[in-house]
Amino acid sequence: MALRAVTAGALVVALGVGVGVWASADGESAPAGSAAAQPTEQGASAGGDAATPPKPSAASTPSPSPTRTYPLSTAPRTIPAVSSHTAARGPGWRPAAGHRVVVNDPGLADEGRLIAGELGMAYAGQKGDAKAGDLRLAVNRGSGANPESYTMTVRGGGVTISGPSDTGVFYGTRTLKQEVHQGRTAPEGVVKDAPAKPQRGFSLDIARKYFSPGWIEDRVRELGDLKYNEIGLHFSDDQAFRIESDTHPEIVSAQHLTKAQVKRIVDLAASRHITVVPEIDSPGHLGAVLAAHPELQLRNVNGVATRGAIDISKTASAQLLDDLLNEYAGLFPGAQWHLGGDEYQALTVSSPAASYPQLATAAQQRYGSGAGVADLATGWLNDRADTVRAHDRTMRVWNDGFFRGTTVKPASDLVVAYWTGKEIGARAPTEYLSTGRKLLNYNDEYLYYVLGEPNAFVYPTGQRIYEQWTPRVVRGTTPVPARYDAQILGGTFSVWSDLADSQTQDQVAAGIRMPLTATAQKLWDARTPSLSWAQFRTLAGQLR
């Protein structure tokens, strides 16, 4: 691990040409006297590297030629930070109009065209020759290395980015894009980089607040440059159902995304190696669906409707949800799926069996005389998991969709999406982890941006995430023991639209920019950050 520490004055890297992201009200330009502010000589960066000129030919004069020397390079400054950089001496590299992007595999065409367009270079496809200034992208399949890892070598006036998959190569292009932003120079040497956590996500509640397709696409581009690999869409809730449906058009809200718009988002995300994770939350949070199907509304013993809750004792309820799950599996081809499972109001009363006798009866009929309403709810999620599993998806469920002491056990392959420890009968993260179950960190203490700040929520800050949060801080502010680290697959920063009109789309984008940036750093790099928050914030301001 080489040469990570530099002074604040050497913060020289920023995002490249293209969509501007991370604009920050408190971002600053490079301070006077810093490497970013210094002029360069013959293409060398102020913190750059050295190389000797070519040896003279036999026909040249035998008298000595002057040689050029360069200081030892310093590590690139990117967000997230790279894992390691081996310093070297040389001029480094900058893109120029005459430079080419070449690839060794046709599967890298998308990555090659993207970075060529961003850096103003020509995409040349597969070429066997080498030219000065080339950016070469190479995939080395079958190496067994982390598919998201990459190696970037800046040497001899050119750059080579290689990895075991096109995903790793893509992340290498994101690092290079930041290094050369605004005319800066990629430092000579070798970067070796890989993420600490395999799942790095952002989740957006588009059910309670409509977000335009263009706004979502801008977030996808932003996430790609930060090396996120998931964006969740929570598109069904009590307030609205926001995506076009062919099987049940009656449930779709007037303001919604068409399937063509969603496909465009999915395709853009795929080009940035981001999976779109759909969530149709059930058996709670189904108010918009139930508005069109009042016959499936859960009612208590007095006939009073229970907000957002579907009656899971009815066969038609399961059929409706399975129709939707099967339909949207074709629209969202990614490997991840969110089943929801939280806040089913039938289980928040003092006596679910007394309040909802039809659920208690159905539980006993299906699972035996000792079964209760929680068993029926667990069976409901297992059945929905069976539907989605048939499409070869990996599924997650909110932690309050798991219940202790039930006869029916949740399917073993369900990942815990842990968001709170405030629910009735709350279970600590270690209760799940100690059984071997895998977990994703959605900690509402740090990673919940809830519009309008209801229920004691406050807007999270990048500084608090950067200085206090790690993927092991799953509930509250206390980390789980280090022995569970491998079971924590990653984390997700979420926007929830509880009070939808509290902020405009632009205000949301500005408000989440630094929290998203800090979360990206902490999910990619497990080490204690080498930069102070002030330095990190300044760097983020330069990456826009």
Side-chain angles (χ1 to χ4, degrees):
M1 316 297 268
L3 300 176
R4 296 184 70 252
V6 295
T7 65
L11 302 176
V12 299
V13 188
L15 269 178
V17 181
V19 175
V21 298
W22 310 340
S24 174
D26 44 20
E28 300 173 9
S29 60
S34 72
Q38 296 303 312
T40 58
E41 182 180 2
Q42 299 178 7
S45 65
D49 309 300
T52 56
K55 294 181 179 179
S57 66
S60 65
T61 174
S63 60
S65 299
T67 60
R68 179 74 189 277
T69 60
Y70 298 87
L72 198 63
S73 64
T74 58
R77 282 311 187 196
T78 60
I79 296 175
V82 301
S83 301
S84 72
H85 175 256
T86 301
R89 298 180 186 276
W93 180 87
R94 290 181 184 175
H99 289 172
R100 307 180 305 175
V101 177
V102 297
V103 300
N104 79 334
D105 187 291
L108 290 173
D110 290 344
E111 290 74 21
R113 290 191 179 97
L114 177 62
I115 190 65
E118 290 170 329
L119 301 187
M121 300 171 66
Y123 176 69
Q126 291 179 270
K127 297 291 182 182
D129 63 325
K131 290 187 177 181
D134 277 354
L135 166 57
R136 307 191 71 84
L137 306 183
V139 64
N140 306 313
R141 303 188 194 279
S143 68
N146 182 338
E148 293 191 306
S149 66
Y150 67 92
T151 298
M152 180 169 68
T153 303
V154 179
R155 181 183 296 145
V159 182
T160 298
I161 299 172
S162 62
S165 75
D166 53 351
T167 302
V169 174
F170 171 75
Y171 291 143
T173 67
R174 300 306 87 194
T175 296
L176 183 66
K177 179 183 174 183
Q178 292 187 22
E179 289 181 335
V180 301
H181 181 50
Q182 294 184 345
R184 297 183 176 93
T185 300
E188 202 89 357
V190 180
V191 167
K192 291 186 179 294
D193 200 13
K197 291 297 179 184
Q199 291 179 240
R200 306 173 302 280
F202 167 62
S203 182
L204 180 65
D205 173 8
I206 66 172
R208 286 175 279 193
K209 181 180 180 67
Y210 175 81
F211 289 88
S212 70
W215 190 93
I216 297 171
E217 290 170 11
D218 284 346
R219 301 290 74 70
V220 168
R221 297 184 184 96
E222 180 178 9
L223 294 170
D225 283 342
L226 286 167
K227 302 186 175 80
Y228 280 89
N229 61 8
E230 290 184 358
I231 179 170
L233 294 181
H234 175 91
F235 61 92
S236 170
D237 213 304
D238 295 338
Q239 292 78 2
F241 191 100
R242 295 286 189 189
I243 295 179
E244 176 186 0
S245 172
D246 299 319
T247 61
H248 290 281
E250 74 279 2
I251 70 175
V252 179
S253 300
Q255 193 174 37
H256 64 272
L257 301 179
T258 67
K259 285 190 173 182
Q261 290 169 331
V262 173
K263 186 178 186 304
R264 179 182 169 92
I265 292 167
V266 169
D267 289 346
L268 176 66
S271 75
R272 266 61 174 182
H273 297 268
I274 294 170
T275 297
V276 181
V277 184
E279 181 192 359
I280 302 176
D281 202 348
S282 81
H285 293 282
L286 286 171
V289 171
L290 293 169
H293 287 276
E295 74 280 3
L296 301 179
Q297 175 79 57
L298 178 66
R299 296 181 180 276
N300 69 12
V301 68
N302 297 316
V304 177
T306 302
R307 178 176 170 81
I310 199 166
D311 190 333
I312 58 177
S313 71
K314 295 182 176 181
T315 302
S317 296
Q319 184 61 56
L320 172 59
L321 263 294
D322 286 346
D323 286 346
L324 296 172
L325 295 173
N326 285 320
E327 175 182 0
Y328 289 108
L331 185 61
F332 297 99
Q336 301 292 325
W337 197 282
H338 202 319
L339 289 172
D342 65 316
E343 298 180 326
Y344 189 48
Q345 297 301 310
L347 290 166
T348 63
V349 297
S350 58
S351 178
S355 294
Y356 302 96
Q358 75 274 36
L359 300 185
T361 298
Q364 292 170 8
Q365 289 175 343
R366 182 168 182 183
Y367 300 114
S369 60
V373 177
D375 291 290
L376 193 67
T378 302
W380 167 276
L381 280 177
N382 284 345
D383 290 344
R384 307 294 76 73
D386 288 343
T387 300
V388 175
R389 193 181 294 106
H391 298 283
D392 196 26
R393 304 294 197 268
T394 297
M395 296 152 289
R396 66 194 67 169
V397 172
W398 295 117
N399 62 285
D400 53 332
F402 293 82
F403 307 103
R404 65 158 64 93
T406 55
T407 300
V408 180
K409 303 302 179 186
S412 60
D413 60 345
L414 298 179
V415 174
V416 179
Y418 199 103
W419 71 281
T420 189
K422 305 179 181 74
E423 75 277 12
I424 296 173
R427 300 165 66 187
T430 52
E431 287 198 38
Y432 303 95
L433 295 166
S434 63
T435 66
R437 200 175 285 275
K438 295 178 181 178
L439 182 150
L440 281 165
N441 189 329
Y442 284 77
N443 189 339
D444 65 348
E445 178 74 21
Y446 292 94
L447 306 180
Y448 263 37
Y449 193 95
V450 184
L451 297 191
E453 301 180 305
N455 302 319
F457 282 108
V458 295
Y459 292 129
T461 66
Q463 181 172 3
R464 192 160 181 257
I465 294 168
Y466 187 77
E467 294 179 342
Q468 299 178 19
W469 181 82
T470 74
R472 284 174 43 215
V473 180
V474 178
R475 171 182 174 179
T477 60
T478 304
V480 300
R483 65 181 178 273
Y484 296 122
D485 185 70
Q487 291 171 240
I488 300 172
L489 301 177
T492 297
F493 184 90
S494 301
V495 170
W496 294 104
S497 306
D498 290 41
L499 299 176
D501 296 330
S502 300
Q503 291 190 339
T504 66
Q505 289 187 144
D506 289 344
Q507 288 173 324
V508 173
I512 66 176
R513 188 163 289 117
M514 284 308 298
L516 269 178
T517 305
T519 304
Q521 171 63 36
K522 303 303 283 289
L523 287 169
W524 186 273
D525 188 353
R527 300 167 298 186
T528 300
S530 62
L531 301 180
S532 69
W533 168 250
Q535 292 170 328
F536 184 83
R537 184 182 60 195
T538 297
L539 176 58
Q542 295 169 348
L543 303 183
R544 58 176 179 172

